[in-house]
Amino acid sequence: MKKICCTYLCQPSLKQLALLLFLGGVVLVASAFVLEYGFNAIPCRMCWWQRYAHWALTAFALLMLIIPRGRFVALGGLLASAGYGLYVAVYQTLGQYKLVELPPGCGGSGK
């Protein structure tokens, strides 16, 4: 049992990582829609920026799963969308600490 768990958890294949990223992206996108439509949380401009990154991440992870030959091209797109999402997250964090100016109407701007 230990050998099976270590094989799949310690050294996951590229396909397993793509599946994990795809499922994580679906959860992120679904939770954004639940917040918007279930709890009436209107997204600001920066929220949309984050959603774009999540949609791209989910789409590139799906491409990695369904197109075996284009897996490394999709991996490049996945890394680019993850980098963009990280950039937006760092920018938002800096804005919440009042180190940079956030877009007008952003919930983290305190306006």
Side-chain angles (χ1 to χ4, degrees), residues 21-55:
L21 288 171
F22 173 74
L23 293 175
V26 168
V27 168
L28 287 171
V29 170
S31 63
F33 283 117
V34 167
L35 283 172
E36 181 178 355
Y37 294 108
F39 296 98
N40 203 24
I42 306 301
C44 68
R45 192 174 355 169
M46 189 169 290
C47 293
W48 282 105
W49 296 346
Q50 284 285 358
R51 286 184 189 193
Y52 299 150
H54 297 157
W55 292 340

Side-chain angles (χ1 to χ4, degrees), residues 12-19 21 57 59-80:
S13 69
L14 195 57
K15 192 170 185 174
Q16 290 169 329
L17 288 174
L19 179 62
L21 288 171
L57 183 125
F60 283 119
L62 181 62
L63 284 175
M64 284 180 67
L65 289 170
I66 62 175
I67 303 175
R69 290 191 178 148
R71 194 167 283 158
F72 290 104
V73 173
L75 179 62
L78 194 138
L79 291 173

